[in-house]
Amino acid sequence: MTTTAITPQVRYGQLPSGDRYSYEIWGDLTTGQTPLLLIHPVGVGLWRRFWQRFCLAWCAQSDRPLVVPDLLGCGDSDMARRPYSPQDWAAQLSHLLRVEIQQPSIVVAQGALMPAAVALVETAPDWVQGLVFSGPPAWRVIERKQTAKQQRRLWRLFCSPLGWLFFQYARSPFFLRRFSRRQLFAQAEQIDREWMQLLAEGSRKQASRHAVYAFLSRNWQQGWGDRLAKIPQPTLLLFGEGASSISRDGRTEDARDRLQAYAEVMPCNQGQILKGRNVLPYESTADFIAALNDFCGNYFTAQQFNDAVQ
């Protein structure tokens, strides 16, 4: 990857609870352009640097600023032994927008962290001007609700010595490369040195395992279908053409099936299918940027920004 002179500002915020979190600012927040707030996925080794390839390419061609936080439990943010939920992360993001950035944003959520963006809309609707969902889960998965009892049982299991052993194995280059090939990327050659270094650095802190355990405990699976139907903000749905799964009736669901399922429920949306599979900002950066530019150009001009902050 070609290096550039673009250097983000690293800042820190503190919640009323005392939890501290880190975030980056790419660009100038005073340009009059509604910033993009980027929500990284949660998994072994994943943190805000997931977005770095996208950020470098974006800033080379756009003056719209980027806000890139580490979610609690990840990266350089505080890491408590806590079953983090979408509501926990939404409270962090609300604080970031209201107290630190002091501007509404277009929220871009990767993968199964889409519920954190939806929870943010529910708790701080005036601070979210638009939404972009990159590779959200199949509709049947996002609609499903895991019971609190099931979540507690899984959390206790992952917090046991067995869970600790699993995390040690999951941090290995062998597991990370195999998982990336089987679940994330369309092409094996895209699992490059940069990607593996990102995961190695992100998983170095043992305490980061608790955010992973929280995610694997399905705390995010709360039956979001009806709540997605109530979102009034303009929403862009992006799916990789290689995304697929098997439905309960045994039928293969491809990207078009997923897009149609969301589009039939969400009242204010547009959607595209891009090259790639499940990590579009990383594996199909140019196409992802083009889709975001079109979306922002249609809905978020400088005049709209000025109207919003007056």
Side-chain angles (χ1 to χ4, degrees), residues 245-264:
S245 60
I246 304 298
S247 66
R248 290 179 179 177
D249 61 7
R251 184 176 64 88
T252 299
E253 296 178 340
D254 62 16
R256 289 169 180 79
D257 295 322
R258 291 192 183 186
L259 176 56
Q260 183 178 357
Y262 278 87
E264 288 177 351

Side-chain angles (χ1 to χ4, degrees), residues 215-293:
F215 179 78
L216 294 177
S217 297
R218 300 281 176 167
N219 287 359
W220 57 274
Q221 207 162 26
Q222 300 177 12
W224 296 93
D226 292 342
R227 296 148 85 169
L228 284 165
K230 298 175 183 178
I231 292 178
Q233 286 89 344
T235 303
L236 175 63
L237 306 166
L238 297 176
F239 292 90
E241 62 186 7
S244 64
S245 60
I246 304 298
S247 66
R248 290 179 179 177
D249 61 7
R251 184 176 64 88
T252 299
E253 296 178 340
D254 62 16
R256 289 169 180 79
D257 295 322
R258 291 192 183 186
L259 176 56
Q260 183 178 357
Y262 278 87
E264 288 177 351
V265 173
M266 301 187 68
C268 187
N269 74 83
Q270 55 182 280
Q272 291 187 42
I273 296 175
L274 307 179
K275 293 179 182 178
R277 193 176 178 190
N278 288 326
V279 283
L280 299 176
Y282 192 94
E283 60 180 330
S284 300
T285 309
D287 291 343
F288 190 81
I289 287 175
L292 260 66
N293 271 325

Side-chain angles (χ1 to χ4, degrees), residues 15-294:
L15 298 172
S17 63
D19 290 320
R20 297 180 74 245
Y21 60 88
S22 62
Y23 65 98
E24 293 177 345
I25 301 295
W26 293 71
D28 184 355
L29 290 171
T30 66
T31 60
Q33 297 288 327
T34 306
L36 301 180
L37 172 64
L38 309 181
I39 303 177
H40 66 77
V42 171
V44 177
L46 292 170
W47 55 312
R48 71 175 190 268
R49 292 288 177 84
F50 167 84
W51 291 102
Q52 181 163 294
R53 175 176 290 189
F54 166 83
C55 292
L56 288 168
W58 177 270
C59 291
Q61 59 183 273
S62 175
D63 62 355
R64 188 181 298 277
L66 307 174
V67 181
V68 193
D70 272 324
L71 296 175
L72 290 172
C74 306
D76 294 323
S77 292
D78 282 354
M79 298 179 178
R81 190 173 185 264
R82 181 190 310 164
Y84 294 104
S85 69
Q87 288 74 19
D88 293 322
W89 288 318
Q92 173 194 350
L93 298 173
S94 175
H95 185 274
L96 172 62
L97 292 177
R98 292 183 293 103
V99 177
E100 299 289 331
I101 307 302
Q102 299 182 6
Q103 293 182 26
S105 296
I106 303 161
V107 178
V108 185
Q110 169 62 34
L113 264 290
M114 180 194 73
V118 180
L120 178 60
V121 171
E122 293 177 339
T123 58
D126 293 340
W127 293 91
V128 180
Q129 288 196 359
L131 293 160
V132 179
F133 296 152
S134 170
W139 182 257
R140 63 183 175 82
V141 175
I142 208 65
E143 196 177 30
R144 189 179 305 157
K145 186 172 184 179
Q146 193 83 294
T147 67
K149 183 178 180 180
Q150 291 170 323
Q151 291 168 356
R152 288 194 298 271
R153 183 184 299 122
L154 288 169
W155 172 253
R156 287 194 296 268
L157 175 64
F158 282 117
C159 288
S160 70
L162 183 63
W164 187 87
L165 289 173
F166 162 75
F167 186 76
Q168 305 315 307
Y169 171 62
R171 294 169 62 223
S172 68
F174 170 77
F175 177 89
L176 292 172
R177 185 176 294 277
R178 186 178 68 168
F179 181 84
S180 297
R181 180 66 187 96
R182 295 178 65 180
Q183 302 293 335
L184 302 180
F185 286 83
Q187 303 294 331
E189 57 268 22
Q190 293 180 309
I191 306 170
D192 53 18
R193 181 179 179 183
E194 180 186 351
W195 177 257
M196 295 301 294
Q197 287 179 336
L198 159 75
L199 299 181
E201 185 175 356
S203 62
R204 189 170 295 132
K205 296 179 180 178
Q206 291 284 345
S208 68
R209 69 188 187 275
H210 295 115
V212 177
Y213 295 165
F215 179 78
L216 294 177
S217 297
R218 300 281 176 167
N219 287 359
W220 57 274
Q221 207 162 26
Q222 300 177 12
W224 296 93
D226 292 342
R227 296 148 85 169
L228 284 165
K230 298 175 183 178
I231 292 178
Q233 286 89 344
T235 303
L236 175 63
L237 306 166
L238 297 176
F239 292 90
E241 62 186 7
S244 64
S245 60
I246 304 298
S247 66
R248 290 179 179 177
D249 61 7
R251 184 176 64 88
T252 299
E253 296 178 340
D254 62 16
R256 289 169 180 79
D257 295 322
R258 291 192 183 186
L259 176 56
Q260 183 178 357
Y262 278 87
E264 288 177 351
V265 173
M266 301 187 68
C268 187
N269 74 83
Q270 55 182 280
Q272 291 187 42
I273 296 175
L274 307 179
K275 293 179 182 178
R277 193 176 178 190
N278 288 326
V279 283
L280 299 176
Y282 192 94
E283 60 180 330
S284 300
T285 309
D287 291 343
F288 190 81
I289 287 175
L292 260 66
N293 271 325
D294 289 344

